[in-house]
Amino acid sequence: MAKKKAAKKKVAKKKVAKKKVAKKKVAKKKVAKKKVAKGQDTSKNLYDAVLELIRVTSTVIPDDVQKVVLETLEREEKNTTAEYAMNIIKANIELAKKKSQPICQDTGTILFYISHPIGIDQGKFTKVIEKAVVKATKLGYLRQNSVHSLTGKNDSLNIGLGHPSVHFHQHKKKSIEIKLMLKGGGCENVGAQYALPNTDLKAGRDLDGVRKVILDAIVKAQGKGCGPGVLGVTIGGDRGSGYLASKEELLRTLDDKSNIPELAELEEEIVTTANKLGIGPMGFGGKTTLLGCKIGHQNRLPASFFVSVSYMCWAFRRQGVILKENQQISKWLY
């Protein structure tokens, strides 16, 4: 009898053990399902966040830019072409925001700058961005602007080689930051790059030489870059890195000053001097030629001294967001 009872107890224990194992397996399956669901939700959240970022960037001028536009409008002389042009710009800004429609018919090159912690799948991230770009184009937040360079065909919804332009930067923060710039073709066309020394401008390899070539770029851009504009400038680098960095200077707010005193002084001097040239809004004359100038620098080879100038039109479409862990928007950057 004792043996039978012991055997029954062993069988009972085995059944309990099997049940526990079964429960653990079920629990693991539930956890796995939750993880999958969470991943799906996160991807959807990212898509929604990028789509909203595109909408706002295309239709709403950042506060720092609008503030300077309104200040410059007040400085223009009354009943002049310059005042008239600035009032049209003001009305355009207000109407685009109210109707949630693009500020400019040229919604420009789409430039994404993503700062992220380690572990982000950049390929998947890019695919979500492209999906949001296609939807934004269908909704009219973006115009169908990406043209095949060899055939001239425009048969895509802003998706093609090199477009949108997506730049990833790893940082030590846990959060993901996405910055977006929409850069129109008119202002892109008047960007410039100089190699110093420049004998025609009597510009040497120093900050005075840098000043001379920047002012030359402003004079040559008059009436062509949808002014008043903002300049992003990089001193140094090579021909490629200098241009890329000059665009990133445009991610700074207009009230941001360089932490290098010589560059901060040069930024201010460029704006002051440019606004005394009489070029004015759209090249119609007046006191407002530049809204801002941001200057950075990179190391260079001893044999080279490049100054790269990126021009941004008055329709300064630049915005950014910080994402939560679930990739919903937690904060707007501009």
Side-chain angles (χ1 to χ4, degrees):
M1 290 291 290
K3 287 182 179 180
K4 285 183 179 179
K5 285 182 180 179
K8 285 182 180 179
K9 282 182 180 179
K10 284 183 180 179
V11 170
K13 283 181 179 179
K14 283 182 180 179
K15 285 181 179 179
V16 170
K18 283 182 180 179
K19 284 181 181 179
K20 285 182 178 180
V21 170
K23 283 181 180 180
K24 284 181 180 179
K25 285 182 179 179
V26 170
K28 283 182 179 179
K29 283 182 180 179
K30 285 182 178 179
V31 170
K33 284 182 179 178
K34 284 182 180 178
K35 284 182 179 179
V36 171
K38 187 178 179 182
Q40 289 173 346
D41 290 340
T42 300
S43 180
K44 177 64 166 58
N45 289 343
L46 177 60
Y47 168 81
D48 291 340
V50 174
L51 183 59
E52 179 63 4
L53 174 60
I54 294 170
R55 184 192 72 80
V56 173
T57 307
S58 179
T59 62
V60 182
I61 285 285
D63 291 343
D64 63 297
V65 178
Q66 184 165 1
K67 178 177 179 290
V68 176
V69 167
L70 294 176
E71 288 172 353
T72 56
L73 173 58
E74 290 299 314
R75 288 201 296 268
E76 290 294 348
E77 293 182 15
K78 304 302 177 185
N79 302 315
T80 61
T81 305
E83 186 199 31
Y84 177 71
M86 291 302 295
N87 271 318
I88 290 176
I89 289 172
K90 178 187 174 186
N92 192 340
I93 290 171
E94 292 171 351
L95 191 61
K97 183 177 181 179
K98 182 179 178 181
K99 300 184 75 174
S100 194
Q101 291 181 348
I103 292 168
C104 176
Q105 73 275 11
D106 178 5
T107 51
T109 301
I110 305 166
L111 300 157
F112 280 97
Y113 299 89
I114 296 111
S115 299
H116 63 85
I118 192 169
I120 295 297
D121 188 326
Q122 296 182 358
K124 288 182 180 179
F125 206 104
T126 300
K127 285 182 179 179
V128 173
I129 285 175
E130 290 176 346
K131 183 181 176 184
V133 165
V134 169
K135 183 64 174 179
T137 308
K138 289 179 178 178
L139 291 171
Y141 304 148
L142 299 171
R143 300 283 161 76
Q144 200 165 332
N145 261 4
S146 186
V147 178
H148 193 289
S149 294
L150 300 182
T151 65
K153 288 184 179 180
N154 187 348
D155 55 5
S156 71
L157 294 171
N158 279 314
I159 301 298
L161 286 175
H163 199 255
S165 179
V166 184
H167 304 266
F168 289 97
H169 306 276
Q170 186 176 308
H171 64 186
K172 293 182 180 179
K173 299 177 185 177
K174 293 182 179 180
S175 60
I176 297 174
E177 296 179 5
I178 308 177
K179 293 181 180 179
L180 172 61
M181 189 183 341
L182 302 176
K183 196 169 187 303
C187 62
E188 182 70 6
N189 288 343
V190 294
Q193 190 173 70
Y194 296 83
L196 297 181
N198 184 305
T199 53
D200 292 339
L201 297 173
K202 297 181 181 178
R205 291 184 162 194
D206 52 28
L207 287 185
D208 184 60
V210 171
R211 173 184 174 276
K212 286 176 179 177
V213 297
I214 294 174
L215 291 174
D216 183 67
I218 294 167
V219 171
K220 288 178 177 175
Q222 58 181 300
K224 299 176 184 176
C226 296
V230 179
L231 299 185
V233 181
T234 293
I235 303 166
D238 61 26
R239 287 193 180 275
S241 67
Y243 262 135
L244 287 173
S246 69
K247 282 192 171 86
E248 293 194 20
E249 287 296 318
L250 295 169
L251 297 173
R252 293 166 55 191
T253 57
L254 295 189
D255 57 0
D256 177 53
K257 293 184 179 180
S258 173
N259 57 8
I260 301 172
E262 297 90 337
L263 294 186
E265 184 180 343
L266 184 58
E267 289 173 349
E268 186 176 350
E269 183 188 352
I270 290 293
V271 175
T272 301
T273 304
N275 288 337
K276 291 178 181 178
L277 295 176
I279 296 170
M282 304 296 179
F284 293 150
K287 298 179 181 178
T288 312
T289 299
L290 274 191
L291 300 174
C293 177
K294 305 300 168 187
I295 305 174
H297 70 96
Q298 290 190 337
N299 274 27
R300 60 178 177 82
L301 293 175
S304 303
F305 197 122
F306 296 110
V307 180
S308 305
V309 182
S310 285
Y311 188 103
M312 176 61 89
C313 58
W314 68 262
F316 196 154
R317 291 155 292 177
R318 174 249 292 141
Q319 190 50 265
V321 292
I322 296 177
L323 302 182
K324 301 175 186 177
E325 285 187 13
N326 65 1
Q327 297 190 347
Q328 291 179 332
I329 296 172
S330 68
K331 182 181 178 181
W332 290 87
L333 294 175
Y334 298 103

